Amino acid sequence: MYLPKEREQRRIVDQRCEKLSHGLGVLEREVDKCRRLFYDLQVSWEKEVQHQKNERRRRAAMVIIQKYVRKWLVWRAYLKFLSVITSIQCCWRKVLAIREF
């Protein structure tokens, strides 16, 4: 069928094709590894971004809570101050009324 020279050339071509096929297989595995690594990095990045968003939301919530607590404390102090002022005014009016009578 084939002459010996043609057979030898065919064998060499087949060997080269096998080497290329093996090399392509190795390359495909490396590409798959890189792809998996990329996806893992992407997932990690998305988790980090989500964590940062949650952290910002948490801090914003803390600030809002602090704002309302401070407002309540100031209001309570104001009411206490108001009652003291009212008592002082009452006493002073009493003194003025006694002087006038």
Side-chain angles (χ1 to χ4, degrees):
M1 240 196 221
Y2 291 112
L3 295 174
K5 188 174 183 180
E6 289 176 345
R7 237 182 275 150
E8 181 62 24
Q9 287 176 346
R10 195 142 176 95
R11 186 183 64 77
I12 292 171
V13 168
D14 287 344
Q15 284 177 347
R16 287 183 181 165
C17 286
E18 281 181 31
K19 285 181 181 179
L20 283 175
S21 176
H22 176 72
L24 285 175
V26 170
L27 186 60
E28 285 175 353
R29 285 192 296 274
E30 290 298 317
V31 167
D32 285 341
K33 284 181 188 177
C34 289
R35 187 175 289 133
R36 275 180 274 157
L37 179 62
F38 173 75
Y39 289 140
D40 290 345
L41 288 173
Q42 188 177 12
V43 167
S44 297
W45 175 256
E46 288 171 356
K47 283 181 182 178
E48 180 62 28
V49 168
Q50 189 63 37
H51 175 72
Q52 289 176 356
K53 283 181 182 178
N54 289 340
E55 185 66 22
R56 282 194 296 267
R57 286 183 191 141
R58 188 178 68 81
R59 286 178 187 256
M62 285 173 29
V63 168
I64 290 170
I65 291 169
Q66 287 174 357
K67 177 176 80 169
Y68 282 107
V69 167
R70 287 179 183 143
K71 177 184 172 186
W72 177 76
L73 289 172
V74 168
W75 179 250
R76 193 174 72 169
Y78 171 73
L79 290 179
K80 193 174 190 179
F81 181 72
L82 196 61
S83 70
V84 169
I85 292 294
T86 306
S87 297
I88 291 172
Q89 283 178 345
C90 183
C91 290
W92 181 249
R93 286 181 185 148
K94 180 180 171 184
V95 167
L96 290 178
I98 290 173
R99 282 184 188 172
E100 201 175 300
F101 182 63

